[in-house]
Amino acid sequence: MNLNSPLARRLASSGAIDIQKLHSHKLDNPATLPEVLCQLSGLTPQQLQAKACHIFNVSQFDISQIDSEFITNTEFLNEKLIRKHKTLPISVKGKTLYVATADPTNFSAFEDFEFNTGMQVEPIVVRYDQLDSVIDGLFDSASSLGLTEDDMDELEGVDSGDGNKKDLATDVNSKEDDAPIIVYINKILMDAIKRGASDLHFEPYEKRYRIRFRVDGVLHEIASPPINLESRIAARIKVMSHMDLAEKRKPQDGRIKLKINAKKSIDFRVSTLPTLWGEKIVMRILDSSSAMLGIDVLGYEPEQKQLYLDALAQPQGMILVTGPTGSGKTVSLYTGLNILNTTERNISTAEDPVEINLEGINQVQISAKSDMTFANALRAFLRQDPDIVMVGEIRDLETAEISIKAAQTGHLVLSTLHTNSAPETLTRLMNMGVPSYNIASSVSLIIAQRLARRLCKHCKEPEQLPQEELIKQGFTQEQLNDLTVYKPVGCDDCTEGYKGRVGIYEVMPITPKIAEIIMRGGNSLEIAEVAAQEGVNNLRKSGLKKVAQGVTSLVEVNRVTNV
């Protein structure tokens, strides 16, 4: 295409462009034709759009109002073709593909789209500046990560974690019609990484299909592709995860290693669940960099951090991290393991599943099929001359007894339990059947934790609350003298006024007084009372400290501490 195109000639003949300027101007990049025509004619993009529609009798459209997810769902996205011609498919009706373009005479673009899609192309005229913005936004997940075209090509090699690679372009029965699904799933994965999501949910229902991201612990709906794509989306993800395509009646688990470029890759843990209307798929993003953050950025108060470091420095004993699913227990344990990971120590872990690979640590995947249970793995560890043992979770009495035995015989043991607070962890062990004297002599530190969303530094604002309400929430009269409570607002740099998360911790060492209560079979209320007298802040008090520091909001602390 050049400046001798029908659009340029008609504008010149109508007097909108000086013919001499038109012939003397050299167009180096064909994709910038509408922009050059505006420069030469003095027309605005909106005026150029109106004139093109009038001259060639074609429809116009305000593309800035269109939902980008609707564009994604057309299934005819070819980034190279779109960027080459600055022409974007936006809708399909029967055998007609409607494409947005700033030049209704860009016949070479229409021919390319007709050849690649097998459909008849109908142009719709839009403003060139808005079209450029929509195209950039549609494919910005790659550019935001600094990806080149070569890097995007590398995305077509996916590793399932066992070293076997699949060619994305030929997967799912190698049908050409499935290529748009490959592009779409790749874009979803890249968008999730870009937004800092921890989980992706693909959910089929009777009349719609929903895709949600969990960002900073809260789920947000980000797309709703056509329900008839459910089986193809599920098949694509199952191929990438090396699952059984034919098995749709049983849950399956798999892994994906997505290569971003030669130096960076992201792991996904994938789980399928048969539901009434199809297979629900949940993908957990396993970013190894989260395990390398260091203890200083996790949100521990100085005294809490020191208690954790002191416990890690002990040659034996048990450190327990407790909290619900998604409260950051794994990151806390991996942070401790990184501190301990030296050439002088033999460290072994039993995990279900192994989420993040750590060099220098012997990690074992728990598998019911091969009878590799936590208890059996622990027995094997104790024959392997260990210094430090990490058990992913203490679920039963057998695992608890072996872990305590290891802690009593010169090993440092780290593990997790699902309890609501540090004192309740001790009574949970007693209820499992562990003798109280074994608990008192082996457990050295318990950390209960939650993750609260951080307030965005750019848009948070002070919130005026009555003193009576603040005292009711748990603040003391002394704290009110110099207290500013902030609330979320929301801006372009955050999600609903929050960006990132911070840990809220209850760090309770097993002191002689607490050990005495355990020995006589005391309950969690007694333990909590003595811990408070000894200066241990419970989760509520630790959360209020974060509010006073301006790190998070009172509403968020109430959410994560169940108040």
Side-chain angles (χ1 to χ4, degrees):
M1 183 188 297
N2 54 41
L3 283 175
N4 198 32
S5 72
L7 177 60
R9 292 199 307 269
R10 292 295 294 272
L11 287 174
S13 64
S14 67
I17 298 178
D18 184 275
I19 296 178
Q20 290 185 348
K21 286 184 179 180
L22 182 64
H23 290 310
S24 62
H25 190 94
K26 184 178 180 182
L27 185 63
D28 296 322
N29 183 359
T32 62
L33 174 64
E35 182 178 3
V36 173
L37 292 179
C38 282
Q39 293 172 358
L40 294 177
S41 64
L43 297 173
T44 65
Q46 188 172 3
Q47 290 170 332
L48 177 65
Q49 177 191 22
K51 278 188 173 293
C53 292
H54 176 72
I55 291 171
F56 296 99
N57 193 27
V58 293
S59 302
Q60 65 177 337
F61 181 67
D62 183 2
I63 198 171
S64 67
Q65 300 301 314
I66 198 167
D67 185 352
S68 62
E69 300 303 339
F70 171 76
I71 298 173
T72 304
N73 294 341
T74 60
E75 292 191 68
F76 292 102
L77 294 181
N78 182 320
E79 183 177 1
K80 290 183 179 179
L81 207 59
I82 289 168
R83 291 196 181 276
K84 174 184 176 183
H85 294 297
K86 292 295 175 72
T87 300
L88 179 65
I90 59 171
S91 181
V92 177
K93 188 174 182 180
K95 288 293 185 179
T96 302
L97 176 67
Y98 293 90
V99 297
T101 179
D103 180 6
T105 65
N106 191 358
F107 302 120
S108 63
F110 307 151
E111 289 173 359
D112 279 354
F113 276 100
E114 286 180 351
F115 177 80
N116 278 271
T117 64
M119 305 189 76
Q120 180 181 346
V121 170
E122 186 73 28
I124 298 176
V125 177
V126 298
R127 286 173 48 175
Y128 77 83
D129 55 337
Q130 292 179 346
L131 179 60
D132 289 346
S133 177
V134 170
I135 291 174
D136 289 341
L138 192 61
F139 298 105
D140 67 352
S141 58
S143 59
S144 68
L145 291 170
L147 302 183
T148 64
E149 283 193 8
D150 290 339
D151 293 332
M152 287 303 291
D153 289 339
E154 279 197 45
L155 280 177
E156 300 198 358
V158 173
D159 193 338
S160 68
D162 60 1
N164 297 322
K165 293 184 178 178
K166 294 279 188 181
D167 181 3
L168 301 193
T170 57
D171 276 339
V172 194
N173 302 323
S174 300
K175 293 181 181 178
E176 269 190 35
D177 289 345
D178 289 321
I181 292 295
I182 296 169
V183 175
Y184 185 61
I185 296 300
N186 279 354
K187 182 185 182 301
I188 290 291
L189 299 185
M190 299 299 288
D191 280 349
I193 296 169
K194 173 195 170 186
R195 298 189 192 191
S198 60
D199 301 86
L200 297 79
H201 292 241
F202 297 81
E203 302 166 313
Y205 297 99
E206 182 179 9
K207 297 180 179 180
R208 66 187 296 251
Y209 193 94
R210 180 172 68 175
I211 299 177
R212 294 188 291 173
F213 291 170
R214 188 179 293 278
V215 181
D216 295 335
V218 178
L219 283 167
H220 303 271
E221 183 170 342
I222 58 96
S224 184
I227 186 62
N228 60 0
L229 295 182
E230 180 272 326
S231 60
R232 291 168 65 188
I233 290 174
R236 176 66 206 143
I237 296 174
K238 288 165 77 172
V239 166
M240 295 170 72
S241 311
H242 284 201
M243 296 181 186
D244 184 356
L245 274 175
E247 182 55 76
K248 298 182 180 180
R249 296 173 298 175
K250 295 179 181 179
Q252 295 189 67
D253 294 299
R255 288 178 77 99
I256 299 172
K257 183 182 286 293
L258 187 66
K259 289 192 175 181
I260 304 302
N261 52 41
K263 296 182 179 179
K264 184 175 178 62
S265 63
I266 299 289
D267 289 325
F268 294 80
R269 190 181 79 211
V270 186
S271 172
T272 68
L273 177 68
T275 68
L276 188 61
W277 305 109
E279 290 181 282
K280 174 178 177 177
I281 300 173
V282 175
M283 306 174 74
R284 166 68 58 89
I285 299 178
L286 306 175
D287 188 357
S288 58
S289 61
S290 64
M292 310 298 178
L293 291 175
I295 194 171
D296 292 323
V297 300
L298 297 184
Y300 287 96
E301 298 298 329
E303 61 276 11
Q304 294 176 333
K305 169 187 166 185
Q306 194 57 52
L307 286 170
Y308 190 19
L309 293 175
D310 290 345
L312 290 171
Q314 297 299 316
Q316 65 184 50
M318 179 181 286
I319 300 173
L320 296 173
V321 182
T322 76
T325 301
S327 60
K329 300 187 297 295
T330 300
V331 172
S332 287
L333 285 177
Y334 280 164
T335 300
L337 289 177
N338 273 324
I339 294 171
L340 297 169
N341 189 13
T342 64
T343 55
E344 295 84 14
R345 295 187 176 103
N346 176 23
I347 305 175
S348 296
T349 71
E351 305 171 60
D352 183 22
V354 176
E355 293 192 354
I356 298 173
N357 297 324
L358 298 176
E359 186 175 351
I361 294 177
N362 308 293
Q363 297 172 277
V364 173
Q365 171 71 54
I366 298 303
S367 172
K369 290 182 180 179
S370 58
D371 199 30
M372 180 58 77
T373 62
F374 281 115
N376 289 341
L378 272 170
R379 290 190 187 94
F381 289 168
L382 295 177
R383 296 191 293 269
Q384 293 269 317
D385 185 30
D387 296 301
I388 297 155
V389 171
M390 194 269 272
V391 184
E393 182 184 349
I394 295 177
R395 299 175 178 171
D396 51 52
L397 176 59
E398 185 181 19
T399 305
E401 287 180 334
I402 301 172
S403 299
I404 285 175
K405 178 183 176 182
Q408 292 174 330
T409 55
H411 307 96
L412 182 62
V413 179
L414 290 78
S415 189
T416 71
L417 269 87
H418 286 274
T419 57
N420 292 324
S421 67
E424 288 179 34
T425 304
L426 296 168
T427 55
R428 169 74 186 279
L429 289 173
M430 289 187 235
N431 292 337
M432 288 173 66
V434 180
S436 56
Y437 57 85
N438 278 340
I439 298 173
S441 63
S442 59
V443 179
S444 56
L445 185 74
I446 301 174
I447 302 172
Q449 66 179 77
R450 301 289 188 275
L451 288 178
R453 291 179 290 176
R454 286 181 183 270
L455 284 167
C456 175
K457 296 178 181 179
H458 301 288
C459 66
K460 67 179 181 180
E461 291 181 354
E463 182 177 16
Q464 300 300 324
L465 293 173
Q467 287 196 1
E468 297 80 10
E469 177 63 24
L470 292 174
I471 291 174
K472 182 180 177 182
Q473 291 289 334
F475 290 104
T476 64
Q477 190 64 50
E478 292 180 358
Q479 288 176 306
L480 297 182
N481 297 330
D482 188 26
L483 177 66
T484 302
V485 177
Y486 290 90
K487 65 179 180 180
V489 178
C491 66
D492 293 338
D493 197 51
C494 66
T495 303
E496 299 177 351
Y498 298 98
K499 187 172 184 180
R501 289 191 286 179
V502 64
I504 295 176
Y505 302 94
E506 177 184 18
V507 182
M508 187 181 79
I510 306 304
T511 62
K513 286 186 178 180
I514 293 176
E516 182 182 339
I517 297 174
I518 298 171
M519 290 290 289
R520 60 179 172 81
N523 58 41
S524 60
L525 293 177
E526 294 178 84
I527 296 170
E529 185 179 349
V530 170
Q533 292 171 0
E534 295 186 339
V536 175
N537 284 332
N538 60 23
L539 287 168
R540 180 69 183 173
K541 288 184 178 179
S542 295
L544 294 178
K545 266 194 171 184
K546 292 290 188 290
V547 173
Q549 294 165 1
V551 175
T552 189
S553 68
L554 189 57
V555 172
E556 182 67 6
V557 169
N558 288 340
R559 181 181 72 87
V560 300
T561 58
N562 302 319
V563 176

